[in-house]
Amino acid sequence: MIKLSANAARQIQYSAEQTSMQGIPLRIAVKKQADGSLHYAMGFDEQRLPGDEFVNTEEISLVISVQSKALAQQMIIDYVELEPGKYEFIFLNPNDPDYVPPST
C-alpha cells in the first residue's frame, strides 16, 4: 500500500506536535485530473468515511479513501530538500503517468 520514508515520518510527527494533532490520522488523497495527471493532497483528519482504509507505517496512522486507494498502490511519500533550505513532500507513485523511478 502506501509507505513513508523515515524523513517524511519525522516531519509528519513534528507537524502533528506543532499543531496539537498527535494521534489524528493523516489522510492521503490522490485524484486523477482531466489530463490524466495525478493530484496529491494530505492533511490530518478525524473524519471516518465508508470504505476508508487505515495503514500504519513508520508509527504514523494513514487513512485513504476507497477512491484514492487504487491510485496510491505502492506509493512512497518522502520529505526531501529540493533546493538548499527548501524541503517538500514528494510522492513517488508508480501509478502516476509522470513517475520517474529514482536513480540509485
Side-chain angles (χ1 to χ4, degrees):
M1 171 46 83
I2 300 172
K3 295 181 182 179
L4 296 175
S5 72
N7 284 342
R10 277 192 295 275
Q11 183 60 31
I12 292 165
Q13 186 62 38
Y14 175 77
S15 181
E17 291 168 3
Q18 296 300 305
T19 58
S20 299
M21 294 291 200
Q22 299 98 320
I24 307 295
L26 183 71
R27 183 173 292 277
I28 306 298
V30 184
K31 183 178 180 183
K32 187 173 269 194
Q33 302 294 328
D35 66 359
S37 66
L38 297 182
H39 175 76
Y40 301 92
M42 62 184 189
F44 296 105
D45 188 1
E46 292 181 287
Q47 187 175 14
R48 304 295 183 260
L49 302 171
D52 277 352
E53 183 169 315
F54 291 84
V55 176
N56 287 308
T57 176
E58 295 290 324
E59 300 183 18
I60 304 290
S61 179
L62 305 176
V63 62
I64 188 162
S65 72
V66 68
Q67 295 86 359
S68 293
K69 182 180 173 183
L71 296 172
Q73 291 294 322
Q74 305 305 311
M75 182 170 73
I76 299 170
I77 301 172
D78 201 356
Y79 188 72
V80 298
E81 186 174 22
L82 295 176
E83 298 173 13
K86 183 180 178 189
Y87 291 84
E88 288 187 26
F89 286 100
I90 61 170
F91 300 85
L92 303 169
N93 186 348
N95 304 295
D96 191 322
D98 296 325
Y99 175 70
V100 177
S103 56
T104 54

